[in-house]
């Protein structure tokens, strides 16, 4: 079995590392020889002709998947006419356009923040009058890691946001005053079997994921069931195959969907050591037509992204329960260079281990406070 992956970043790298023990050979379509995945698996290099590259990848693969959403759905469809693609191209199309995605979710009866499409300055004024301030103006396409969006608090922000984002199709969204940001990673196989990982809590700073606590603390079982119900509706409607990440806002006993990622996701990296089967292995299993593995968590974990520069490896590896993943990428401000997952059998031990890790990784972000771990060292409760 040969799996072709469109993209050569860290997600493709971790997919390849999970595929090898299953006897699944991987080929990644990389932009450059120094791409993260190119260092651990065989690579095809982009030639500048995207359609021809996708055709070459498909021709040499039994099944095709992708690690990012920055690709043309028409090219993918036509290149893979005779090969299975997972996740389905329809999911890719929805995730590329915030407006289509929100309408799709609303059509399934899944709550999202109130939104209004915006194409002109006049429409922006009307949308602001409808939703009120504060609200968030986002580009429909191409935004990620907090890019392509602007928080509007007053009229000055409205003008500034329009001067920065205007001219492109936009959507204005009501600002949600959430209690916390959660995400659910779900996997569906080719015969329709669905498994969900436990909800996790995500801490973003400036729109970039910094830390994931897995499972999220004290989740009401009703909220877990609600998230799984949304997940089943979404993957069922799309006849989905592979891993899907659903980003959520928890507001009291309400759960709103923020966005979907039709791929393995940064908030699922903890599953490599923290769950019985990682999201990467389950994605490979699903798209290759193999049975899914258990999504149960072992104990409790925190995943910390390592951005910009890598802290000393020795210091990180000296932390009990810590697992380091470096992506073999060159340093650049804000770039995701690796992650550290700290695992423990219970919360108290996790808090002690994290105390150690955050002294090295935190860099003034205040993750301990943001993860609300302060009381945990005294807590006697288990996971
Ligand atoms: P996004 O690119 O939509 O994932 O947004 C990046 C981050 O901005 C989210 O993880 C939230 O922290 C914040 N954010 C986005 N949309 C909203 C919203 N409607 N209300 C409150 N916060 C938001």
């Amino acid at each position: 079995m040969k799996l072709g992956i469109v993209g050569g970043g860290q997600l493709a790298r971790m997919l390849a590392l999970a595929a090898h023990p299953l006897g699944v050979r991987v080929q990644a379509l990389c932009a450059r020889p120094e791409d993260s995945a190119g260092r651990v698996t065989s690579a095809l290099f982009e030639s500048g002709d995207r359609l021809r590259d996708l055709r070459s990848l498909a021709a040499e693969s039994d099944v095709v998947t992708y690690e990012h959403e920055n690709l043309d759905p028409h090219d993918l469809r036509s290149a893979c006419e005779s090969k299975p693609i997972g996740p389905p191209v329809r999911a890719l199309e929805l995730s590329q356009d915030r407006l289509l995605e929100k309408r799709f979710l609303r059509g399934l009866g899944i709550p999202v923040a109130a939104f209004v499409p915006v194409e002109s300055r006049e429409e922006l004024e009307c949308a602001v009058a409808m939703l009120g301030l504060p609200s968030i103006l986002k580009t429909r396409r191409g935004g990620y890691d907090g890019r392509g969006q602007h928080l509007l608090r007053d009229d000055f922000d409205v003008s500034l946001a329009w001067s920065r984002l205007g001219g492109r199709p936009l959507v204005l969204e009501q600002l949600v005053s959430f209690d916390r940001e959660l995400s659910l990673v779900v996997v569906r196989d080719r015969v329709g079997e669905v498994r969900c990982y436990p909800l996790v809590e995500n801490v973003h700073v400036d729109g970039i994921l910094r830390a994931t606590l897995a499972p999220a603390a004290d989740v009401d079982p009703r909220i877990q069931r609600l998230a799984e119900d949304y997940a089943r509706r979404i993957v069922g409607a799309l006849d989905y195959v592979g891993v899907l990440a659903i980003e959520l806002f928890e507001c009291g006993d309400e759960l709103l969907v923020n966005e979907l990622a039709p791929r393995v996701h940064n908030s699922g990296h903890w599953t490599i050591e923290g769950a019985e089967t990682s999201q990467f292995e389950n994605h490979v299993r699903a798209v290759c037509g193999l049975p899914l593995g258990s999504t149960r968590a072992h104990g409790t974990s925190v995943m910390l992204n390592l951005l910009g520069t890598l802290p000393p490896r020795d210091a990180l590896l000296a932390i009990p329960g810590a697992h380091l993943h470096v992506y073999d990428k060159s340093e650049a401000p804000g770039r995701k260079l690796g992650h550290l997952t700290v695992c423990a059998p219970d919360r108290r031990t996790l808090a002690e281990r994290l105390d150690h890790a955050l002294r090295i990784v935190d860099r003034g972000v205040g993750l301990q406070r943001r993860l609300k771990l302060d009381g945990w060292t005294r807590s006697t409760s288990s996971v």
Side-chain angles (χ1 to χ4, degrees):
M1 172 76 72
K2 207 161 177 191
L3 172 64
I5 305 178
V6 183
Q10 65 266 20
L11 300 179
R13 177 186 175 98
M14 290 185 271
L15 282 169
L17 293 173
H20 288 314
L22 304 181
V24 172
R25 280 184 293 142
V26 170
Q27 181 150 255
L29 179 57
C30 297
R32 293 166 298 268
E34 64 274 21
D35 277 1
S36 186
R39 302 193 193 259
V40 302
T41 193
S42 67
L44 285 178
F45 295 105
E46 289 177 7
S47 66
D49 180 339
R50 290 291 282 168
L51 183 56
R52 203 178 66 188
D53 296 341
L54 289 171
R55 285 208 171 111
S56 310
L57 182 75
E60 293 187 28
S61 309
D62 299 304
V63 53
V64 175
T65 189
Y66 46 92
E67 63 129 32
H68 60 74
E69 292 105 293
N70 183 23
L71 72 164
D72 185 334
H74 305 288
D75 285 355
L76 189 59
R77 245 191 214 110
S78 73
C80 301
E81 263 166 353
S82 58
K83 296 286 164 70
I85 313 171
V89 182
R90 174 91 184 111
L92 175 68
E93 284 168 332
L94 290 175
S95 72
Q96 287 178 337
D97 186 329
R98 290 185 193 273
L99 183 63
L100 298 186
E101 184 176 271
K102 285 176 194 305
R103 286 181 173 153
F104 164 76
L105 291 165
R106 210 160 56 177
L108 294 176
I110 295 174
V112 294
F115 64 93
V116 179
V118 169
E119 298 267 350
S120 64
R121 178 73 210 239
E122 294 68 43
E123 285 183 8
L124 176 59
E125 300 293 341
C126 291
V128 167
M130 283 165 79
L131 297 183
L133 295 177
S135 49
I136 300 191
L137 187 63
K138 299 182 179 179
T139 54
R140 274 174 60 176
R141 303 177 69 88
Y144 67 97
D145 282 349
R147 285 178 231 191
Q149 54 180 272
H150 209 289
L151 176 63
L152 311 184
R153 276 162 300 215
D154 52 31
D155 290 344
F156 175 76
D157 288 333
V158 175
S159 300
L160 186 63
W162 181 256
S163 68
R164 292 201 175 144
L165 304 178
R168 286 172 276 180
L170 303 168
V171 59
L172 187 71
E173 251 181 69
Q174 196 161 53
L175 188 76
V176 177
S177 122
F178 51 77
D179 301 319
R180 54 184 175 171
E181 291 191 73
L182 301 174
S183 61
L184 187 88
V185 171
V186 54
V187 58
R188 183 176 185 271
D189 71 11
R190 288 196 197 166
V191 291
E193 167 84 14
V194 177
R195 302 220 175 144
C196 297
Y197 288 90
L199 279 165
V200 298
E201 177 173 353
N202 299 315
V203 176
H204 293 90
V205 178
D206 299 329
I208 299 179
L209 183 70
R210 301 301 290 257
T212 296
L213 170 62
D218 306 319
V219 173
D220 185 331
R222 201 191 66 81
I223 290 285
Q224 177 75 32
R225 281 198 300 276
L226 192 58
E228 293 192 12
D229 172 54
Y230 295 172
R232 282 173 201 282
R233 275 189 255 170
I234 296 166
V235 295
L238 294 170
D239 197 13
Y240 199 88
V241 177
V243 161
L244 170 81
I246 307 173
E247 294 187 36
L248 301 146
F249 297 135
E250 185 183 33
C251 322
D253 56 7
E254 259 203 298
L255 205 51
L256 306 183
V257 173
N258 176 33
E259 64 178 1
L260 306 177
R263 54 173 165 79
V264 284
H265 193 253
N266 198 171
S267 72
H269 290 2
W270 67 276
T271 59
I272 298 175
E273 294 87 11
E276 280 183 23
T277 316
S278 79
Q279 63 162 350
F280 300 100
E281 179 173 339
N282 260 337
H283 185 77
V284 172
R285 290 187 189 210
V287 298
C288 293
L290 301 167
L292 300 180
S294 163
T295 48
R296 215 172 63 86
H298 309 295
T300 183
S301 320
V302 168
M303 187 283 313
L304 302 169
N305 271 336
L306 305 173
L307 305 178
T309 52
L310 281 177
R313 200 163 35 185
D314 300 16
L316 295 174
L317 292 176
I319 301 164
H323 303 271
L324 177 63
H325 297 260
V326 291
Y327 306 150
D328 231 339
K329 288 161 61 175
S330 54
E331 296 189 345
R335 196 168 193 208
K336 290 177 184 169
L337 299 180
H339 73 266
L340 185 78
T341 302
V342 182
C343 300
D346 55 66
R347 286 185 183 186
R348 187 184 174 141
T349 316
L350 183 69
E352 284 164 6
R353 291 176 176 180
L354 263 180
D355 195 43
H356 195 157
L358 290 176
R359 268 184 263 142
I360 304 166
V361 173
D362 191 74
R363 297 187 185 139
V365 172
L367 288 172
Q368 184 143 31
R369 177 180 43 81
R370 291 172 192 254
L371 285 165
K372 302 178 201 77
L373 297 174
D374 308 18
W376 283 23
T377 35
R378 292 183 301 279
S379 141
T380 48
S381 62
S382 60
V383 175

